[in-house]
Amino acid sequence: SGAASRVSALPCCGAWCCSPAGRGRKGVCGAVASPPAPRPPVSPARPWSFPVPQLARLDNGLRVISYDTPGQHVASLRWAIAAPIAGEPRQIEGVGAMLARTLDEGPASHSSQQLAELLERKGVALSAVATERGLILHLDVPVRHLAPALDLLREVLVEPDFPTAAVDRHRQTWLAEIC
């Protein structure tokens, strides 16, 4: 009992092991709580403004808006394709959303599994969404892998493959989400 009173006189670390949930008795672990570290000084914020967009038009007519952000290691690219869901013919309503859902099923030259592995090896995130304004493609990639990522994206866009099994799987998932 003398040892217990000496232990309980020591300050507690306050850790979970000493709490009732940790089955310990608060204040009797014998560990000494260390004083909090001093806070580092906070410097005033440096002035910042959003980069000025650079506008260009490619030979194929594609309008490009780019932002120079030195020091960034990930390139984030977005493509907006003017194909609004409101413009879909009634008899094929939802085709834009289905296109967005199945676009990553792979180009004709790769299966969906092969495409996923190729994208993953290069750290590429590829997605698409159909919106009121059109189809939006998203590509995030480490800058050092930008060229191969753009090659894969070109394959996906120019040589798309929409296997019946994949379309059916996405249709069933979509119907389940609606219900």
Side-chain angles (χ1 to χ4, degrees):
S1 112
S5 64
R6 274 184 272 135
V7 170
S8 63
L10 293 174
C12 177
C13 68
W16 181 82
C17 63
C18 296
S19 70
R23 302 283 185 232
R25 291 185 316 190
K26 189 76 169 154
V28 297
C29 73
V32 178
S34 54
R39 293 181 181 239
V42 177
S43 303
R46 291 181 283 180
W48 185 86
S49 62
F50 198 79
V52 176
Q54 304 298 313
L55 305 175
R57 190 162 298 274
L58 301 180
D59 292 340
N60 63 5
L62 184 67
R63 187 178 77 149
V64 176
I65 303 170
S66 63
Y67 299 89
D68 184 25
T69 53
Q72 297 300 308
H73 300 285
V74 175
S76 292
L77 298 95
R78 304 293 180 260
W79 287 266
I81 300 168
I85 56 176
E88 294 176 349
R90 186 143 180 86
Q91 65 273 20
I92 58 169
E93 216 169 62
V95 71
M98 185 59 73
L99 171 75
R101 285 176 174 248
T102 57
L103 196 61
D104 63 353
E105 290 295 331
S109 55
H110 303 293
S111 70
S112 60
Q113 181 66 33
Q114 289 169 330
L115 178 65
E117 289 171 3
L118 289 167
L119 294 171
E120 189 174 292
R121 261 188 238 138
K122 300 294 183 186
V124 179
L126 172 65
S127 63
V129 63
T131 71
E132 295 80 17
R133 301 198 57 176
L135 181 67
I136 310 296
L137 298 171
H138 303 263
L139 181 77
D140 295 317
V141 56
V143 173
R144 68 182 183 276
H145 297 305
L146 182 58
L150 289 174
D151 285 341
L152 285 172
L153 179 65
R154 184 204 54 78
E155 287 181 39
V156 167
L157 293 174
V158 175
E159 308 163 11
D161 186 23
F162 302 103
T164 303
V167 172
D168 288 343
R169 185 181 76 249
H170 283 284
R171 182 184 303 118
Q172 291 303 317
T173 300
W174 198 4
L175 291 172
E177 289 171 359
I178 293 171
C179 296

